[in-house]
Amino acid sequence: MIDPDDGRPNPRGSVRAYWRLAGAWWTGPTAPRAWSLTIFSLVLVIGNIVVQYGINVWNRAFFNALEQHDQSFAYRAIVLFFILAFLAALVAVLQLIFRMKLQISWRQWLTRQLVGRWLGEQRFYRLNIAAPDLDAPEFRIAEDAKVATEPVVDFGYGIANAVLTAAVFFGVLWSASGPAVFFGWRIPGFMVYAAIVYSIVMSASMMLFGRALIARIEDRNRTEAQLRYEMGRVRENAESIAMVGGAEDEVKGLETTMQLVSAAWTQVVARQAWLTWLMGGNGVMAPVLPLLLAAPNYLSGTITLGALTQSAAAFVQVQVALNWLVDNYARIAEWLASAGRVTGLWTAFSDLDASVGTAESERITIEVSPDGDIHLDSLAVAQHDGRTMIDEADTVIAAGQKVLLMGESGTGKSTLIRAIAGLWPWGSGTVRLPAGAKVAFLPQRPYMPLGTLRQVLCYPDDGTTATDEVLREALTRCGLKRLIPRLDAEEKWDRILSGGEQQRIGFARLLVMRPDIVIMDEATAALDVASQDTMMELFRDELGHATLLSVGHRAELEDYHDRKLTLHRLASRVEMAAGENIRHTRGLSGLLRRSLRPRPSPDPSRPDSGRSED
């Protein structure tokens, strides 16, 4: 929620939105576990108050025994103290266990909700298009969700403890401190009023000096996330940066962002310094002030030494309860900032869904084809803001047909095939795919998941669906025979393999997957022409049954397609021309190129001798 006056997060709106999201843990299917942990935690808070009350009563009895030189009672009181200390420690341990169980369970549930929403319906992909300014969704899920849940449990414990402590020790303070006389006025239980006034002054001061801390912490978190994002981009594009000598420029950019981080931290430190003044002063004053206030009654004989110490202890308990806000203001500010970022991410999900639309006329729909062909019915592709990119297109791609999509840059070729693949929902019209068809999308840079080469080849399956023989044949057919011994090796394959080898891995996946429909976007851009021919021959031989729809610019690709669809830019829109058949002897020119290509002499000292550098 954003305050329209200053553009900063609105704490009230953030809290309401956050509880609508995170509070569902207590109302949905997880309610039994949530409430059982919550209720047991409350019981432990009550148990802690009972023990603390027992220690307070013991305090009065023990010091009265010392004042009266009652040796036998003092010894019994010492034994009782160790029993109370054991109970206090036991309750503290149980509180720790159940508090952490509550925190872990709640955070796990909230993280599961965020991850499920993020990864569902390709939102992780679509957010990059519809909300490019949304910084670091992964950080919001991993870190902000943690900060938005764990302190809340601590706050719950603290508030429950503060309320019960105030209720119990107000009575103790009233009865133990005795009355006070000021200017002829007799004030019974004056220490209660003193504790209330002291707490109000401290809380008001804390809110006065700390009110801007929430916005400062939000700025700090935002700049920290930006710094991590920029450093991640440097790591992901390390080779490109190194090749063009861009390190100095990256250093300047990171230094600029680091200056923003430092400035944000400075603002946070400045605000927290004021809070530290108050908290430090409170830490010194709180134990001494009740002794000073109750000393006249003790010196006059109105109360005993035990009553004096009991009043002082009760005053500390009451002011701790009433000053809970003072002691936790900085943590509350941290929580509000993170809660705002979590709800901001959830709101971005909702805005994204709203931009896609719910009615069939407001989005591109994927339906079942009446036959084995692919049908594009009145398909219009738009930007996420509603601006039309490609006007209505109607065509039929027959089963097994190989179609090349061409057009000048900026006409939306890649966007069109993403719409056909179901990745791009903005627009209108219908894409009809054969029922049960297995669709494979091959981008220019295939994704290399973490894990073994076996898992990489079988992705998105877990690697158990294909036999070793199938994997070996796929690697051999795609010119990656040297990788066969490393099938079960875990490596960062996106770092080890060249761009061309990664594209070959993409084609090897097709041999493992055996899809019915293959959609390719510049999938051979990193390959030389001869290697491209080798890969494209798969669609004549092993994958001859598959329907192929590909985007490419090389004229040589026409040898491996039956039909060409061309996107033409008109005055205000892009239209798809009727498909024209490609007349050629398929593969003949590729065969000639391979026969004329010189083969490198093998080097016996290199196991991968003769492998082309992609």
Side-chain angles (χ1 to χ4, degrees):
M1 304 293 288
I2 301 298
D3 189 327
D5 294 330
D6 58 8
R8 297 191 180 278
N10 180 348
R12 288 186 178 181
S14 294
V15 171
R16 288 195 298 268
Y18 175 77
W19 278 114
R20 283 196 299 269
L21 167 62
W25 189 53
W26 280 271
T27 58
T30 54
R33 177 172 176 78
W35 280 109
S36 61
L37 289 172
T38 303
I39 292 172
F40 200 86
S41 298
L42 181 59
V43 170
L44 289 173
V45 170
I46 296 173
N48 180 63
I49 298 298
V50 171
V51 173
Q52 294 302 319
Y53 177 76
I55 293 174
N56 183 268
V57 172
W58 175 91
N59 204 45
R60 175 171 184 162
F62 180 72
F63 280 96
N64 281 339
L66 292 180
E67 186 179 38
Q68 298 169 9
H69 303 285
D70 188 345
Q71 188 175 2
S72 62
F73 183 82
Y75 288 148
R76 292 196 302 272
I78 292 173
V79 174
L80 179 61
F81 173 79
F82 283 109
I83 295 175
L84 290 172
F86 172 79
L87 292 175
L90 177 62
V91 172
V93 170
L94 291 175
Q95 279 188 317
L96 174 66
I97 293 173
F98 280 88
R99 184 179 75 248
M100 294 187 70
K101 281 181 175 291
L102 190 57
Q103 289 172 330
I104 293 171
S105 297
W106 189 21
R107 180 193 174 188
Q108 184 180 33
W109 175 86
L110 179 59
T111 302
R112 188 180 296 116
Q113 300 301 307
L114 292 170
V115 170
R117 191 92 186 271
W118 184 42
L119 297 181
E121 299 185 15
Q122 293 103 23
R123 292 187 186 90
F124 63 96
Y125 166 74
R126 295 172 181 174
L127 273 179
N128 295 329
I129 301 167
D133 296 331
L134 183 73
D135 62 285
E138 67 282 356
F139 178 80
R140 296 181 186 228
I141 294 173
E143 186 62 25
D144 285 316
K146 172 187 174 184
V147 179
T149 52
E150 291 185 359
V152 177
V153 177
D154 294 334
F155 297 159
Y157 268 83
I159 293 173
N161 189 74
V163 171
L164 294 174
T165 296
V168 171
F169 286 96
F170 266 143
V172 173
L173 196 58
W174 183 280
S175 60
S177 62
V181 178
F182 291 99
F183 304 105
W185 289 83
R186 185 175 184 277
I187 304 176
F190 78 101
M191 292 278 282
V192 171
Y193 302 111
I196 293 174
V197 171
Y198 178 78
S199 298
I200 290 175
V201 170
M202 289 300 298
S203 297
S205 300
M206 181 65 71
M207 296 183 68
L208 177 64
F209 290 109
R211 60 185 303 177
L213 184 60
I214 297 172
R216 300 293 178 263
I217 291 176
E218 169 68 19
D219 289 341
R220 182 201 64 187
N221 290 349
R222 177 179 52 79
T223 55
E224 290 275 14
Q226 180 66 21
L227 180 62
R228 278 187 292 272
Y229 171 73
E230 291 181 6
M231 290 190 293
R233 280 183 57 84
V234 172
R235 176 178 54 82
E236 293 171 359
N237 300 278
E239 183 178 14
S240 300
I241 294 171
M243 285 184 172
V244 300
E248 291 186 7
D249 185 67
E250 294 299 328
V251 168
K252 292 178 182 178
L254 291 174
E255 285 180 349
T256 301
T257 304
M258 190 62 218
Q259 289 175 358
L260 296 177
V261 173
S262 299
W265 267 103
T266 300
Q267 293 293 326
V268 171
V269 170
R271 290 295 173 178
Q272 286 189 331
W274 284 103
L275 302 184
T276 303
W277 270 99
L278 294 172
M279 295 174 68
N282 179 58
V284 174
M285 286 289 295
V288 178
L289 183 61
L291 293 174
L292 297 177
L293 293 175
N297 281 354
Y298 172 71
L299 294 176
S300 65
T302 305
I303 59 176
T304 63
L305 177 62
L308 174 66
T309 57
Q310 185 184 26
S311 298
F315 183 92
V316 171
Q317 292 279 7
V318 168
Q319 76 85 26
V320 167
L322 296 182
N323 285 341
W324 180 87
L325 178 62
V326 175
D327 297 332
N328 290 275
Y329 195 88
R331 291 195 70 197
I332 293 174
E334 288 269 8
W335 172 75
L336 282 172
S338 291
R341 287 174 58 81
V342 170
T343 54
L345 178 61
W346 194 263
T347 301
F349 293 151
S350 300
D351 293 343
L352 174 62
D353 293 345
S355 74
V356 171
T358 55
E360 291 187 1
S361 60
E362 298 174 345
R363 60 179 297 168
I364 298 172
T365 58
I366 308 296
E367 297 182 2
V368 177
S369 171
D371 47 39
D373 301 337
I374 298 174
H375 296 258
L376 306 185
D377 296 338
S378 301
L379 181 64
V381 182
Q383 296 280 17
H384 70 276
D385 57 6
R387 183 171 59 87
T388 299
M389 297 174 60
I390 299 175
D391 210 351
E392 295 186 359
D394 292 272
T395 192
V396 177
I397 301 173
Q401 196 172 46
K402 311 299 186 284
V403 178
L404 179 61
L405 183 62
M406 303 191 75
E408 61 184 276
S409 297
T411 51
K413 300 182 297 297
S414 296
T415 305
L416 176 60
I417 64 170
R418 279 164 174 75
I420 296 173
L423 301 177
W424 191 279
W426 295 286
S428 61
T430 304
V431 177
R432 302 184 192 276
L433 301 177
K438 187 182 294 185
V439 181
F441 184 81
L442 196 58
Q444 183 172 345
R445 185 179 179 183
Y447 175 61
M448 300 286 114
L450 298 175
T452 65
L453 182 58
R454 180 189 305 275
Q455 292 171 318
V456 170
L457 288 169
C458 295
Y459 187 81
D461 293 334
D462 58 5
T464 61
T465 56
T467 64
D468 287 359
E469 181 180 359
V470 170
L471 299 180
R472 286 194 295 267
E473 289 179 356
L475 290 173
T476 301
R477 179 66 177 81
C478 294
L480 298 171
K481 185 176 181 179
R482 67 182 185 86
L483 295 178
I484 291 177
R486 305 176 68 181
L487 268 175
D488 293 307
E490 289 195 21
E491 302 284 356
K492 293 182 178 179
W493 298 104
D494 58 337
R495 302 278 189 260
I496 293 176
L497 301 177
S498 68
E501 287 173 326
Q502 291 183 43
Q503 289 193 335
R504 289 173 181 265
I505 288 288
F507 282 96
R509 278 183 186 154
L510 298 181
L511 294 179
V512 175
M513 182 181 178
R514 299 286 177 173
D516 303 302
I517 300 172
V518 178
I519 301 174
M520 301 197 312
D521 183 16
E522 300 283 358
T524 61
L527 299 174
D528 57 63
V529 175
S531 298
Q532 174 181 267
D533 290 338
T534 302
M535 295 299 99
M536 293 303 297
E537 279 184 352
L538 296 175
F539 296 102
R540 183 188 62 190
D541 303 324
E542 291 89 343
L543 299 174
H545 69 284
T547 303
L548 173 63
L549 178 61
S550 64
V551 170
H553 292 92
R554 290 178 176 174
E556 297 86 356
L557 286 173
E558 293 190 12
D559 295 335
Y560 300 95
H561 295 80
D562 310 310
R563 182 181 171 200
K564 181 168 64 176
L565 297 176
T566 306
L567 296 181
H568 295 286
R569 188 188 303 278
L570 302 180
S572 60
R573 66 187 189 279
V574 173
E575 284 189 347
M576 185 172 70
E580 57 180 284
N581 293 330
I582 299 176
R583 297 181 180 180
H584 57 75
T585 304
R586 189 192 321 184
L588 179 57
S589 57
L591 182 62
L592 290 173
R593 283 192 297 273
R594 287 194 302 281
S595 65
L596 294 174
R597 182 188 181 204
R599 296 183 178 273
S601 301
D603 184 351
S605 65
R606 293 182 56 195
D608 59 342
S609 177
R611 179 173 61 91
S612 65
E613 290 297 330
D614 298 322

